[in-house]
Amino acid sequence: MATKVNKNGKRPLQQDSHEDNSITKVRKVNLDDSRHIAAVILARGGSKAIPLKNIKKLAGVPLIGWVIRAALDSEVFDSVWVSTDHDEIERVARAWGAEVHRRSPEVSKDTSSSLDTIQEFSRQNPDVGIICNIQATSPCLHPFHLKEALEFITKQGYDSVFSVVRRHHFRWKEVKEQGNICAEPQNLNPAKRPRRQDWDGELCENGSFYFATKGLIEKSLLQGGKTRFYEMDPKYSVDIDIDIDWPVAEQRVMSFGYFGKNKPKVVKLLLCNVSGCLTDWQINISANKEEEMVSINIRDQAGINMLMKEGVEVILIEKNPISKALADKLSKRMGCQVLLEVNYKLKQVKELMKKRGLEWKEVAYLGNDDQDVKYLNRAGLSAVPLDAPVPLNAAKYSCNCTAGRGAVREFAEHILRLKKNTMSQDGNCTYEDCPIDNRCE
């Protein structure tokens, strides 16, 4: 039976075993290449060093979320997949916009290689012509890395391209001679040690990604044929398999990670929902005095104060009806404006931004329900509390705290940390009393 061809001349991938599966809607920029190009992110559930490492949050985003976002935003793939054997990894992958290849037990063992899984995916999806194996443990991957690397295949005819980083390390080999352990130089002459600036260094695989044609994979190779390397700047080369110190990796990601198409600027305005963000949705009503009360976490109040101290305006938004007296008291307590009964949020938010001369890139948004998705996507920085029901991929940051239990404070610290990093990189940091770590280094 002939394979059907869609209107773009592409043959569709076969569906996996899940009934709700649908091909990721992405549009390739390299329209001159007719091959179906798929990104495959391997994320087995059996990580030994860090349990479920692939969905552990790194700077507020599940580890695989960083690379899924970079792959989707590169717009060079016909489909983006996560290959896993774990239900929770599958759930997170789908929430971030990826398709799921549910790998078989035969390629899910501790002894299974990456190539084994990629070959299984290739067999199950015969219409794929080029596969890019993206490592889930490379959170500083950017879309431009993938675009530039793929062009070696689509425009210059290479069969395989893989990422490298240049290292200036002198390597020695351990040699055992007559019971003694000696050292033998591998890439230098000790009598003529070169200066760093006089030596080009060596190209080392950093594991971020491997592009290979289907024909090469069928020969049990990820690298071969006409082969090319793609050199990445060391600042983008963060491998969680090696850099298992999570706080160190988070600092690298905060400085060099990819936060989405709208690169965040220094935030000047935070819009935050009252119900479901500042509070846990509950409004207490007194039976005697018919008074309405809301519970505010002192940590969240401190977070708002931190932002306002650093020149970030905070506006609280409440779409549910509450008394003006309660809103006034809340505004006085928090020291910021409270907008009541916001039914046409987009119109009012646009008016606020226009009045203040702000772009979306300068706005942060903390939301929690379905109607917040459009603002979470547009804002330069956005977040949801841990217990928010909105899709994970709508927000650039997922809080570890729940609504009314520190989510506002956590997002405030995230905003200020990014602000500090941005100003430090620009050489304009003026923080005398940094609220994050007391000083700028």
Side-chain angles (χ1 to χ4, degrees):
M1 181 181 295
T3 304
K4 292 183 179 180
V5 178
N6 62 26
K7 64 182 180 180
N8 295 314
K10 303 289 186 181
R11 290 176 296 173
L13 280 172
Q14 70 178 52
Q15 300 284 7
D16 69 8
S17 59
H18 298 274
E19 293 180 358
D20 64 342
N21 185 45
S22 60
I23 297 302
T24 306
K25 299 297 187 292
V26 290
R27 179 65 262 159
K28 287 198 316 184
V29 295
N30 48 298
L31 297 177
D32 55 332
D33 196 301
S34 62
R35 289 171 290 185
H36 188 115
I37 304 173
V40 180
I41 302 158
L42 306 184
R44 193 169 66 93
S47 175
K48 295 296 187 293
I50 306 176
L52 289 180
K53 170 185 61 183
N54 292 308
I55 55 174
K56 178 179 170 67
K57 286 185 181 178
L58 182 71
V61 174
L63 186 56
I64 59 171
W66 290 99
V67 292
I68 291 173
R69 182 160 60 195
L72 290 172
D73 285 359
S74 72
E75 298 181 329
V76 298
F77 299 108
D78 291 293
S79 56
V80 175
W81 299 74
V82 168
S83 176
T84 188
D85 60 341
H86 195 277
D87 291 343
E88 184 62 13
I89 294 177
E90 175 178 347
R91 185 191 67 79
V92 173
R94 291 188 186 279
W96 279 85
E99 298 301 318
V100 172
H101 163 243
R102 194 69 185 216
R103 62 174 70 175
S104 68
E106 287 73 26
V107 297
S108 301
K109 304 172 184 176
D110 290 341
T111 56
S112 300
S113 68
S114 297
L115 182 59
D116 292 335
T117 307
I118 293 169
Q119 285 182 311
E120 179 184 78
F121 173 85
S122 181
R123 288 192 300 270
Q124 292 179 4
N125 297 282
D127 297 323
V128 172
I130 299 172
I131 292 177
C132 178
N133 172 213
I134 300 176
Q135 300 281 47
T137 54
S138 302
C140 286
L141 180 69
H142 282 241
F144 77 86
H145 296 135
L146 298 167
K147 289 181 183 178
E148 293 174 356
L150 181 58
E151 287 183 352
F152 287 121
I153 292 180
T154 59
K155 295 184 178 181
Q156 299 186 33
Y158 284 89
D159 299 303
S160 61
V161 179
F162 59 95
S163 59
V164 301
V165 64
R166 194 173 296 270
R167 302 293 189 195
H168 291 77
H169 295 162
F170 293 132
R171 292 184 293 104
W172 292 75
K173 179 181 179 181
E174 178 185 10
V175 179
K176 296 181 179 179
E177 296 180 353
Q178 299 178 350
N180 297 318
I181 298 178
C182 302
E184 180 180 293
Q186 294 294 290
N187 63 349
L188 78 154
N189 179 353
K192 298 180 179 180
R193 291 175 63 92
R195 299 182 304 166
R196 181 184 178 91
Q197 59 267 37
D198 296 330
W199 180 40
D200 289 338
E202 295 182 325
L203 299 177
C204 304
E205 291 185 26
N206 69 349
S208 286
F209 58 82
Y210 298 83
F211 280 96
T213 61
K214 187 178 190 70
L216 204 60
I217 292 169
E218 289 175 345
K219 296 177 182 178
S220 298
L221 293 170
L222 279 178
Q223 296 157 301
K226 187 179 179 182
T227 304
R228 182 69 158 81
F229 66 84
Y230 176 82
E231 184 174 351
M232 293 176 64
D233 190 300
K235 68 184 180 183
Y236 299 118
S237 187
V238 178
D239 189 341
I240 304 299
D241 279 335
I242 299 171
D243 303 323
I244 60 173
D245 187 338
W246 216 258
V248 172
E250 286 190 327
Q251 287 300 315
R252 292 285 298 279
V253 169
M254 293 292 287
S255 295
F256 306 116
Y258 173 68
F259 287 85
K261 291 182 178 180
N262 292 324
K263 183 178 180 181
K265 292 183 177 180
V266 173
V267 170
K268 297 181 180 178
L269 171 65
L270 168 64
L271 300 172
C272 174
N273 285 353
V274 174
S275 297
C277 289
L278 182 64
T279 74
D280 60 1
W281 288 102
Q282 297 189 59
I283 295 178
N284 301 313
I285 301 175
S286 171
N288 296 325
K289 298 181 180 180
E290 297 185 353
E291 292 180 337
E292 294 180 343
M293 295 172 285
V294 293
S295 176
I296 304 299
N297 192 299
I298 195 67
R299 289 181 297 164
D300 291 329
Q301 182 179 2
I304 289 175
N305 291 337
M306 287 163 51
L307 288 173
M308 293 191 296
K309 180 181 177 182
E310 298 302 330
V312 179
E313 183 181 5
V314 179
I315 296 179
L316 301 175
I317 299 174
E318 180 54 64
K319 68 173 183 176
N320 299 310
I322 62 173
S323 68
K324 186 177 183 304
L326 178 59
D328 290 343
K329 191 166 185 178
L330 178 63
S331 176
K332 183 177 180 180
R333 173 78 186 192
M334 306 307 290
C336 58
Q337 182 180 357
V338 178
L339 295 181
L340 284 180
E341 297 187 42
V342 182
N343 295 319
Y344 301 99
K345 191 178 291 186
L346 181 59
K347 180 181 178 181
Q348 291 178 261
V349 168
K350 283 184 175 179
E351 289 175 354
L352 284 171
M353 292 170 57
K354 183 178 180 181
K355 187 181 296 185
R356 290 160 175 75
L358 298 178
E359 302 176 40
W360 276 108
K361 292 181 180 181
E362 299 169 295
V363 175
Y365 194 94
L366 182 61
N368 61 295
D369 61 27
D370 290 335
Q371 68 174 241
D372 290 322
V373 170
K374 60 176 72 73
Y375 315 110
L376 294 169
N377 280 322
R378 293 184 185 187
L381 286 175
S382 58
V384 292
L386 179 64
D387 53 347
V390 301
L392 289 174
N393 58 323
K396 298 177 177 68
Y397 185 92
S398 299
C399 295
N400 291 302
C401 296
T402 58
R405 299 291 185 271
V408 176
R409 169 64 181 261
E410 181 184 345
F411 189 40
E413 290 182 347
H414 179 70
I415 291 170
L416 293 176
R417 190 176 291 111
L418 277 177
K419 180 178 180 180
K420 188 192 103 171
N421 287 341
T422 300
M423 298 180 76
S424 296
Q425 290 170 23
D426 292 341
N428 298 319
C429 187
T430 58
Y431 279 23
E432 294 179 359
D433 183 21
C434 179
I436 301 299
D437 58 7
N438 297 325
R439 69 184 181 90
C440 289
E441 298 177 352

